[in-house]
Amino acid sequence: MAKLKPLNVNGKRVSVKYDDPQMPLLYALRDDLGLHGPRFGCGLGQCGACTVHIDGVAVRSCITPLATVEAKQKIVTLEGLARGTKLHPLQQAFIDEQAAQCGYCINGMVMQAADLLAKNKKPSEADIKNALANNLCRCGTHVRIVRAVKRAAAA
Amino acid sequence: MNIQISRRDALFGSGALVVSFSLTSALDQATAQAATKPVALTEVDSFLAIDKSGKVTVYSGKVDLGTGVYTALQQIVADELDVPMSRIEMIQGDTLLTPDQGKTWASITIQIGGMQLRQAAAAAHASLVDEAAKKIGIPASELTVADGVISGGGKKVTYAELIGGKSFSIKLDPKQPVKEKDPKDYKLVGKPVARLDIPDKLTGKFTYMQDFRVPGMLHGRVVRPPAIGARLEAVDESSIKDVPGIIKVVRDGDFLGVVAANEWAAICGARELKATWSKAETLPDQAKLWDYVRATKVVKDEVTSNVGNTAEAMGKDDAKTLKATYDFAIHTHGSIGPSCAVAEFKDGKLTSWSASQATHALRGQLAQMFALAPENVRCIYVDGAGCYGRNGHEDAAADAALLAKAVGKPVRAQWSRADEHGWDPKGPPTLIDLRAAMDAAGNVTAWESEFFVPQAGPGLDVPLTAATLAGMPQLPVPFPGNIHQDSAIPYKFASVKTIVRRLETTPFRPSWIRTPGRMQNTYANECFVDELAAAAGVDPLDFRLIYLDPADKRGIELLQRLAQLANWQKRPSPQKSASGSVAKGRGMSYVKYELVRTYVGVVAEVEVDRSTGEIRVPKFYVAHDCGQIINPDGLRNQIEGCVVQTVSRTLIEELEFNRSQVTSLDWDSYPILKFPQVPEIVIDLIDRPAEKPWGAGEPAASVTPSAISNAVFDATGARLRSIPYTPTKVKAAMPGS
């Protein structure tokens, strides 16, 4: 029998179904809650496509067992980044810089960069590149992504 | 998808059925397939429809693989048809609805697919103006058109009023092209229109293939053999009896998969299922890969250029001869999102949703596999992660179909990272031998090359792994080799002979990865040109200008603009002031793509750490002429992608394998370029609005490896001839090592 787990996702209290407490958070977010922001890329914590925030910190949801997430912790996905209708400065900057090709990695880029900007309001180019070093992009959109993060930091 | 069909009167011809639909509602396949919306390339109605509200629907057989053509193709149609882009909706790659414009490959989406759409729009525009002239009662030449409204003599009529909901019934004939707009009148073509898909990709609203669901759908995972060619001997289904949610273990020959009620159950089931496989060692020893390639039987020689008598020139007493062998590693596509597909069998018909770059070809393959008539298979494109060629999407479609058939319900097949790295078809290993001769004055008198490339079968489709494993029927000998273009060279040496030697086989199921063939061929050619320039003591730019056809003004202008962009200082390579722990150099490369289209010249600046052998590429300059530019920002995005992805392939990437299977199954064992290693890219776009638009998704990639190789030689005197340029290879190539 599937069990229910309460979570706080994008400011809402929800409950997700699970059989296996070791199921990664990613599958609860995508398959149970129907979110499209966090993406399955590797299931190994190597590419960053699945990144979400837990209490403001970027984590790889594909290797975060549901059992380790507490109901009081605030999970934020790409869908919850905007304030009402106003996009997060990073979302706006990525649009303004046209910083996507296929866009599959972009969730991770934005979520990881948001974590960086929360800690470092004026990052250097090297800071940005280092912060995103474990987020992979195969289309080669890197130069635009760096520009977009710089733009958001200046906004 | 709710497809409503109604018989409507044709405006300009005989009656026809027109299909209108909404992407958001459920599929009504049975009704839809009764439709006769044309899909032939010879009908305007195949490409375009205008409804009563004035909405324009564009049907494109070419699909957006993350390259931005969803936007660019709409720019083309909007300009040619005189409608705002906001009034356009575009359907891509649906075999029921869109014309078969061929695979989305080879940098021809704009060049060919876009021009088919432009012709359809021009024909529609002309007919609408003619019809308006009749209605308003003044000559067509005195009418003006803006935003779908035709005006003249104080009167106006809208497209919706003229055609809304009816068919055009106009034939298209490529031999008698319709007159198109004067490029000076374009309002959208040539402008950096923002991509229509990007906002939704930034907010999580976008639906990728991996997000796509249908009602009642189950989740499937495949269990691939532990060795290529291994036979499935036994399956212990009881090994996963305790995994909640498992619905069925599907076994068909050597095909094995698990279907479950939810995704995590499918993952756990596939991971924990105990199966016994036979041993298989079909692969060569990786350490001796190039010996294997050289020993592979040559089944055919293709002479791709033959000028003068190279043997005679090489044999001359005073000839100084040079020879070199280049090799290019096996690469994987490395899509960030592993392949995914959904399939449903209903009433004897198969519907397949996938991110295939070739839904029409896939339909043929799936029809063969399941012994269905092609009209009973519908393949629908849903955007996936970038694929850069034929990766695993089509195989996932076959997996999903096989699983769906076995359980009688729609099934989503999602590959794991290891499935993707291990089982997508690979860019084949390529070996190139080059020889040249120079006279005493340093003039090149002969150029000979041999490219050892897998043969191509009669079909250009990659076999579907599920069909192979299950022993199901497949189209005869589908076996893509690699592409011969750019084996011939743009330089006018006194004698030239270039041969593509077609190999009987290659270790892995081959397919095309961004810039297939042209990348490997251009790499060897442009490195060897640099070798000749160095041997002649001539600056690499001057050397190219000496031998380029003086009538090829665009090529010469491109190189001159490149030199200006990169502030190219003329001198022979290698540089003389080679000292210090980090050597710096610059290298050039040039291509006229397939010798008939897009021109690209690049300069790479590199830094080589002499002690570690590590190469850094801080800066890349690109001069690019693909004729008429549709969207300059989209073009830059593609060029940047070409350079970054190919720097990665050049410096880092190499498939690892043992005698049984691929062993580089994740991003640690098959790493790609990361942010700190990405170069700055400076681009000069040469726009030629009055010329034809040519492709841009590949050409800049073709010149990237050679520019890096030539720059490393310039920096250090070390000539790199084996991709990837790992630190170990760099150190071994250093002079004096």
Side-chain angles (χ1 to χ4, degrees):
Chain A
M1 237 350 239
K3 295 176 275 287
L4 285 175
K5 167 133 189 155
L7 292 175
N8 182 328
V9 180
N10 295 331
K12 287 186 191 138
R13 298 203 171 276
V14 295
S15 59
V16 294
K17 276 187 279 189
Y18 70 100
D19 292 305
D20 177 4
Q22 292 308 305
M23 179 176 84
L25 174 64
L26 175 69
Y27 298 98
L29 297 175
R30 286 181 54 75
D31 293 338
D32 206 342
L33 301 179
L35 296 170
H36 291 185
R39 320 209 54 76
F40 170 67
C42 63
L44 304 163
Q46 293 176 344
C47 77
C50 66
T51 305
V52 301
H53 293 169
I54 299 182
D55 290 338
V57 179
V59 299
R60 304 294 193 236
S61 68
C62 76
I63 51 166
T64 303
L66 201 52
T68 65
V69 186
E70 293 174 32
K72 65 179 182 192
Q73 289 185 297
K74 288 181 180 154
I75 301 166
V76 175
T77 72
L78 187 65
E79 287 91 341
L81 214 52
R83 293 281 155 84
T85 55
K86 189 172 164 55
L87 294 179
H88 186 282
L90 277 163
Q91 291 172 308
Q92 191 59 53
F94 272 65
I95 293 168
D96 293 342
E97 292 289 347
Q98 294 285 289
Q101 290 188 42
C102 83
Y104 201 88
C105 69
I106 290 299
N107 165 70
M109 300 297 174
V110 171
M111 299 308 280
Q112 194 69 44
D115 178 290
L116 168 71
L117 293 188
K119 292 169 186 155
N120 180 354
K121 301 254 180 282
K122 294 286 166 213
S124 66
E125 183 159 323
D127 292 338
I128 295 168
K129 288 182 170 179
N130 288 330
L132 295 176
N134 291 315
N135 286 73
L136 303 181
C137 166
R138 183 55 160 167
C139 294
T141 320
H142 304 68
V143 289
R144 284 166 184 253
I145 292 169
V146 172
R147 259 201 325 259
V149 178
K150 278 190 201 165
R151 185 183 188 122
Chain B
M1 193 175 292
N2 180 21
I3 300 173
Q4 296 155 354
I5 292 133
S6 58
R7 185 173 292 277
R8 292 161 182 162
D9 296 327
L11 179 61
F12 310 129
S14 59
L17 289 170
V18 176
V19 180
S20 68
F21 51 90
S22 154
L23 268 174
T24 51
S25 42
L27 174 77
D28 186 349
Q29 194 184 344
T31 321
Q33 290 188 339
T36 56
K37 175 201 172 289
V39 290
L41 295 172
T42 50
E43 298 274 347
V44 168
D45 294 313
S46 301
F47 295 97
L48 289 174
I50 299 177
D51 75 5
K52 284 179 177 166
S53 71
K55 187 185 81 180
V56 178
T57 304
V58 176
Y59 300 93
S60 173
K62 299 283 189 190
V63 300
D64 192 329
L65 303 168
T67 58
V69 297
Y70 179 76
T71 305
L73 292 174
Q74 293 188 42
Q75 287 177 250
I76 291 171
V77 172
D79 252 350
E80 202 62 47
L81 199 55
D82 275 322
V83 293
M85 275 178 74
S86 59
R87 214 171 289 164
I88 295 179
E89 181 176 279
M90 192 161 99
I91 307 299
Q92 311 174 79
D94 180 334
T95 55
L96 183 66
L97 301 172
T98 63
D100 181 359
Q101 294 179 275
K103 295 181 171 81
T104 303
W105 65 354
S107 282
I108 53 173
T109 297
I110 297 289
Q111 182 175 327
I112 295 178
M115 295 308 96
Q116 289 169 329
L117 281 173
R118 183 177 271 172
Q119 274 290 296
H125 187 275
S127 295
L128 287 160
V129 170
D130 284 348
E131 199 63 18
K134 282 185 218 157
K135 198 154 191 161
I136 293 176
I138 62 170
S141 58
E142 292 171 27
L143 296 172
T144 58
V145 190
D147 289 350
V149 181
I150 304 174
S151 315
K155 294 179 185 167
K156 59 178 63 176
V157 62
T158 67
Y159 285 181
E161 287 161 355
L162 288 169
I163 186 81
K166 299 170 200 147
S167 72
F168 287 100
S169 298
I170 304 168
K171 293 278 180 204
L172 291 167
D173 180 0
K175 287 186 190 127
Q176 290 178 298
V178 185
K179 188 169 184 295
E180 295 166 351
K181 259 191 181 172
D182 187 326
K184 72 175 168 40
D185 295 328
Y186 286 140
K187 297 186 182 79
L188 295 163
V189 165
K191 300 288 190 307
V193 173
R195 270 174 55 170
L196 302 165
D197 56 328
I198 286 184
D200 282 355
K201 287 178 173 174
L202 263 302
T203 54
K205 285 188 190 133
F206 196 84
T207 298
Y208 288 93
M209 184 61 233
Q210 287 83 351
D211 304 315
F212 182 83
R213 304 285 187 270
V214 297
M217 187 191 84
L218 300 173
H219 290 267
R221 276 289 196 283
V222 291
V223 181
R224 292 291 195 233
I228 295 167
R231 307 303 305 263
L232 181 55
E233 292 173 343
V235 180
D236 175 11
E237 293 193 24
S238 71
S239 59
I240 57 169
K241 69 178 181 346
D242 294 334
V243 177
I246 297 294
I247 289 180
K248 192 177 171 85
V249 173
V250 178
R251 179 184 176 179
D252 190 342
D254 299 320
F255 177 89
L256 187 59
V258 173
V259 178
N262 64 75
E263 189 168 13
W264 184 243
I267 293 168
C268 294
R271 194 175 59 201
E272 291 164 29
L273 183 66
K274 287 201 166 57
T276 312
W277 301 84
S278 69
K279 290 207 184 325
E281 293 192 333
T282 59
L283 299 173
D285 177 356
Q286 186 178 358
K288 295 175 185 161
L289 175 64
W290 301 113
D291 296 339
Y292 170 88
V293 172
R294 197 169 284 286
T296 304
K297 187 180 169 192
V298 173
V299 291
K300 192 170 86 170
D301 280 344
E302 293 167 18
V303 177
T304 51
S305 62
N306 194 2
V307 177
N309 187 333
T310 54
E312 193 180 293
M314 303 277 255
K316 285 207 168 141
D317 288 346
D318 66 340
K320 178 184 175 186
T321 56
L322 294 90
K323 60 178 184 176
T325 294
Y326 284 80
D327 62 63
F328 196 104
I330 306 171
H331 284 164
T332 207
H333 297 81
S335 296
I336 294 294
S339 297
C340 182
V342 171
E344 179 174 26
F345 278 90
K346 202 171 165 186
D347 306 325
K349 292 173 179 173
L350 168 61
T351 306
S352 164
W353 293 267
S354 75
S356 168
Q357 57 164 200
T359 45
H360 286 86
L362 177 62
R363 175 174 63 174
Q365 288 194 286
L366 291 175
Q368 188 80 15
M369 180 174 167
F370 292 97
L372 291 167
E375 58 268 28
N376 288 333
V377 180
R378 179 180 183 186
C379 293
I380 301 171
Y381 177 74
V382 184
D383 300 65
C387 62
Y388 326 105
R390 200 298 200 179
N391 66 341
H393 290 310
E394 288 78 0
D395 293 306
D399 292 333
L402 195 50
L403 295 171
K405 186 148 200 220
V407 296
K409 287 192 174 160
V411 173
R412 169 178 183 266
Q414 166 72 67
W415 277 15
S416 69
R417 173 49 52 198
D419 292 335
E420 188 74 31
H421 267 55
W423 288 87
D424 79 320
K426 308 300 179 195
T430 307
L431 192 64
I432 306 109
D433 288 337
L434 297 129
R435 294 172 295 277
M438 285 179 179
D439 65 18
N443 301 306
V444 180
T445 54
W447 170 284
E448 287 182 347
S449 56
E450 293 171 83
F451 299 79
F452 296 87
V453 176
Q455 65 173 326
L460 270 178
D461 292 313
V462 179
L464 297 172
T465 295
T468 304
L469 292 171
M472 294 167 84
Q474 301 211 57
L475 295 167
V477 214
F479 192 86
N482 217 343
I483 289 170
H484 69 270
Q485 273 106 347
D486 290 314
S487 55
I489 52 175
Y491 305 108
K492 303 291 173 192
F493 299 134
S495 68
V496 176
K497 187 167 190 180
T498 60
I499 304 174
V500 174
R501 313 208 72 188
R502 292 290 184 179
L503 303 177
E504 185 171 45
T505 188
T506 186
F508 294 90
R509 191 171 55 130
S511 87
W512 44 96
I513 300 184
R514 198 177 205 160
T515 322
R518 292 81 121 230
M519 176 178 288
Q520 289 84 350
N521 304 346
T522 303
Y523 147 65
N525 288 339
E526 284 294 304
C527 286
F528 200 55
V529 161
D530 199 75
E531 293 203 41
L532 298 188
V538 177
D539 169 79
L541 171 64
D542 280 346
F543 188 82
R544 286 174 171 82
L545 291 172
I546 291 166
Y547 291 104
L548 276 183
D549 181 353
D552 194 350
K553 301 271 187 266
R554 282 171 80 168
I556 290 162
E557 182 187 339
L558 180 109
L559 279 174
Q560 285 162 344
R561 290 202 28 183
L562 174 66
Q564 203 170 13
L565 181 74
N567 190 23
W568 183 263
Q569 305 297 314
K570 286 190 179 179
R571 57 170 173 77
S573 288
Q575 55 136 336
K576 296 283 181 261
S577 57
S579 63
S581 62
V582 175
K584 295 185 181 183
R586 73 343 184 216
M588 174 177 284
S589 183
Y590 167 79
V591 74
K592 179 180 182 180
Y593 207 53
E594 298 176 347
L595 295 181
V596 294
R597 51 191 184 128
T598 305
Y599 296 85
V600 192
V602 293
V603 169
E605 290 183 357
V606 303
E607 297 174 3
V608 184
D609 186 317
R610 292 179 198 278
S611 58
T612 63
E614 273 176 57
I615 299 171
R616 277 194 66 241
V617 185
K619 205 159 182 179
F620 236 94
Y621 300 90
V622 185
H624 198 280
D625 174 2
C626 59
Q628 181 188 83
I629 295 172
I630 307 300
N631 186 322
D633 190 61
L635 175 57
R636 284 176 186 275
N637 208 348
Q638 282 302 293
I639 293 169
E640 289 161 5
C642 278
V643 171
V644 173
Q645 191 181 81
T646 313
V647 169
S648 179
R649 294 176 66 178
T650 302
L651 296 185
I652 302 171
E653 296 180 32
E654 180 169 29
L655 191 82
E656 306 255 324
F657 53 94
N658 59 27
R659 297 290 316 281
S660 295
Q661 63 160 346
V662 175
T663 54
S664 48
L665 294 172
D666 63 12
W667 293 118
D668 281 346
S669 50
Y670 190 98
I672 57 173
L673 204 71
K674 294 185 170 185
F675 275 90
Q677 305 158 288
V678 167
E680 180 189 351
I681 301 167
V682 183
I683 299 170
D684 181 11
L685 297 182
I686 301 173
D687 189 10
R688 300 188 188 276
E691 299 289 341
K692 288 180 178 138
W694 285 330
E698 298 177 335
S702 73
V703 281
T704 299
S706 41
I708 295 171
S709 180
N710 298 343
V712 170
F713 176 76
D714 184 60
T716 65
R719 183 63 71 181
L720 300 178
R721 301 190 183 95
S722 176
I723 280 180
Y725 301 151
T726 59
T728 309
K729 287 183 190 170
V730 174
K731 280 174 81 172
M734 290 284 196
S737 69

